[in-house]
Amino acid sequence: PHNVSQDMDFRAEALLRNFDDIEVHAFTTHVNKMVPSQYCKPLPAGLLSRNPFKRVTAWLQYRSILRRELAWADIVQWYWDFNYLPFFRIPVEGDLLRKAGKKSLVIWCGSEIRNPDTDKAINPYYRREVESGQYEYRFESERRSRTTQRAFHRLGFLPLEFIGMGHYIDPELFPHRHRIYQLVGLNRFEPHYPSPTNERPLVVHSASKTGAKGTAYVTEAVARLQRNYNFDFQLLHDMAKEEALDWVRRCDLFLDQFIAGMHGTAAVEAMAYGKPVVGYINPFIGKDYPADLPIHRASPDDLAGVLAPLLGSGEMRHQSGKNSRAYVEKYHDDRRNAEDLHELYFRLAGISSK
């Protein structure tokens, strides 16, 4: 019910554009004016209200929509988490999903199952941000991760797993998973490779949350490097999606996140534009990525050192941008990913596809 980073939109569009033997109805509880949803219909706004009357009214409307859609659907694909009754952590959708008995998939995207204890043990930068109080997603907990996964397990869901999420998923509850990748419509991302002759590159850093993305480390490194290198810097924060994408399209170097230890959709979009990307890939997670992942790996401790040669060489930026685009075409193309999902849907539903 949550269109995280427009992924629900992108998958719905890819399926509908590439196949005429499938129908998709998509709904989202969270409508972000800065990230428009083209294929997702909004669910009642009161689901997120603090007003008990509005919330109960919205739940009743929501359950009516869900009951209708479950009767229509062959496959249920969920995003993020359920809506829960206060204090009891009981999904308001649970009885309807159980009664419908449809084959069901879930995509977890981050905080809904992130286990701070797990990450503190393998990621010193996450541990440092959490313990310093700079990390914004304070609702993350081992308990939330465990109860959320148990709720989906009891209802028979199969996880669709992004790289970087697998170490949170309980293998006893979910011994089987299906690997997926963030996807982009390459037809909407014409590559704009950095010019090899540009002597004043534009560097951008995208941060929905500055603490969780390591923005302080970025600005510190930028300030240090600007003493010796000629470049411009732009922070993308609290900015409408289309405006942010325009900055990414025009930039010469994209700085992703430096805390979580994995990349997300923003890095994929930058690579689709043909941009070199720098980010922190935790070694524990890094082994799950394809060997040809072109992201320049940097931690908060060595970020300036990794950026320096890229700032000093237009040719290096240009070639890295070409590697980025080739990687996205290989792994993140929406048609290829839609074909994989289409095949999975039909296999689970026991229907022969065309």
Side-chain angles (χ1 to χ4, degrees):
H2 189 58
N3 186 22
V4 181
S5 299
Q6 288 186 286
D7 192 85
M8 193 191 307
D9 248 8
F10 294 157
R11 290 184 197 276
E13 178 189 7
L15 286 163
L16 292 170
R17 188 177 70 247
N18 291 296
F19 300 100
D20 59 7
D21 59 354
I22 192 169
E23 292 183 66
V24 178
H25 293 184
F27 298 85
T28 181
T29 56
H30 182 71
V31 179
N32 186 341
K33 293 180 180 179
M34 293 186 177
V35 185
S37 294
Q38 297 179 340
Y39 290 84
C40 300
K41 298 178 182 178
L43 289 166
L47 288 171
L48 305 176
S49 175
R50 294 178 180 270
N51 182 309
F53 176 76
K54 289 183 178 179
R55 197 163 190 175
V56 170
T57 301
W59 278 349
L60 294 174
Q61 295 171 338
Y62 171 47
R63 284 175 59 85
S64 176
I65 294 170
L66 186 59
R67 187 180 292 108
R68 180 194 71 213
E69 295 300 318
L70 287 173
W72 166 82
D74 295 297
I75 299 289
V76 175
Q77 180 168 316
W78 212 266
Y79 276 82
W80 188 256
D81 203 349
F82 295 126
N83 293 282
Y84 294 94
L85 293 173
F87 309 113
F88 298 103
R89 197 71 180 166
I90 298 173
V92 299
E93 306 93 344
D95 62 314
L96 297 179
L97 288 164
R98 190 176 296 107
K99 183 177 180 181
K102 300 297 174 73
K103 298 292 185 180
S104 301
L105 307 165
V106 58
I107 296 178
W108 289 311
C109 303
S111 294
E112 70 277 33
I113 64 163
R114 181 171 287 121
N115 184 340
D117 295 337
T118 299
D119 271 355
K120 285 179 184 179
I122 64 171
N123 186 338
Y125 307 109
Y126 176 87
R127 182 174 64 247
R128 186 163 69 190
E129 288 303 295
V130 169
E131 293 177 352
S132 70
Q134 299 301 308
Y135 189 79
E136 293 93 343
Y137 299 111
R138 297 182 179 91
F139 58 85
E140 295 174 353
S141 70
E142 187 277 334
R143 180 181 180 184
R144 173 176 175 144
S145 178
R146 182 180 68 252
T147 56
T148 296
Q149 292 188 61
R150 286 178 177 174
F152 280 91
H153 170 71
R154 285 193 293 268
L155 292 167
F157 277 77
L158 171 72
L160 302 181
E161 179 192 325
F162 287 130
I163 296 174
M165 294 301 297
H167 63 297
Y168 305 126
I169 299 175
D170 186 337
E172 293 186 3
L173 297 178
F174 302 103
H176 304 292
R177 311 159 195 184
H178 187 82
R179 171 61 50 80
I180 59 171
Y181 293 87
Q182 293 93 348
L183 54 80
V184 291
L186 293 176
N187 59 312
R188 295 190 298 174
F189 286 82
E190 181 181 351
H192 291 262
Y193 300 114
S195 169
T197 60
N198 184 9
E199 297 181 356
R200 188 178 179 88
L202 171 62
V203 179
V204 303
H205 167 57
S206 179
S208 53
K209 300 290 185 182
T210 55
K213 304 300 181 182
T215 302
Y217 303 108
V218 171
T219 55
E220 179 184 347
V222 165
R224 192 186 323 163
L225 289 163
Q226 282 181 328
R227 301 169 192 160
N228 300 307
Y229 293 90
N230 187 29
F231 68 96
D232 295 309
F233 174 71
Q234 177 65 44
L235 172 63
L236 311 181
H237 178 63
D238 284 341
M239 188 178 291
K241 180 67 178 288
E242 291 306 315
E243 182 183 359
L245 283 177
D246 185 57
W247 278 104
V248 176
R249 181 184 59 81
R250 293 186 286 116
C251 80
D252 298 279
L253 183 57
F254 182 82
L255 308 185
D256 193 30
Q257 62 75 37
F258 297 91
I259 300 299
M262 58 186 180
H263 77 71
T265 301
V268 174
E269 291 171 337
M271 288 190 285
Y273 276 132
K275 308 301 179 179
V277 174
V278 179
Y280 173 54
I281 302 295
N282 184 289
F284 183 87
I285 297 171
K287 59 181 172 42
D288 293 330
Y289 282 107
D292 51 346
L293 176 69
I295 291 177
H296 298 267
R297 304 186 186 197
S299 74
D301 295 333
D302 64 5
L303 176 55
V306 174
L307 288 177
L310 285 162
L311 292 171
S313 173
E315 186 58 46
M316 184 179 180
R317 295 192 298 270
H318 182 77
Q319 184 56 52
S320 180
K322 285 185 170 294
N323 294 341
S324 289
R325 176 70 183 196
Y327 180 86
V328 168
E329 290 176 354
K330 184 176 180 181
Y331 297 103
H332 297 276
D333 173 39
D334 67 347
R335 178 172 178 81
R336 291 190 181 187
N337 282 272
E339 288 173 353
D340 176 67
L341 205 54
H342 179 269
E343 180 183 342
L344 177 63
Y345 285 165
F346 276 78
R347 186 167 73 247
L348 289 175
I351 301 172
S352 297
S353 60
K354 294 180 181 178

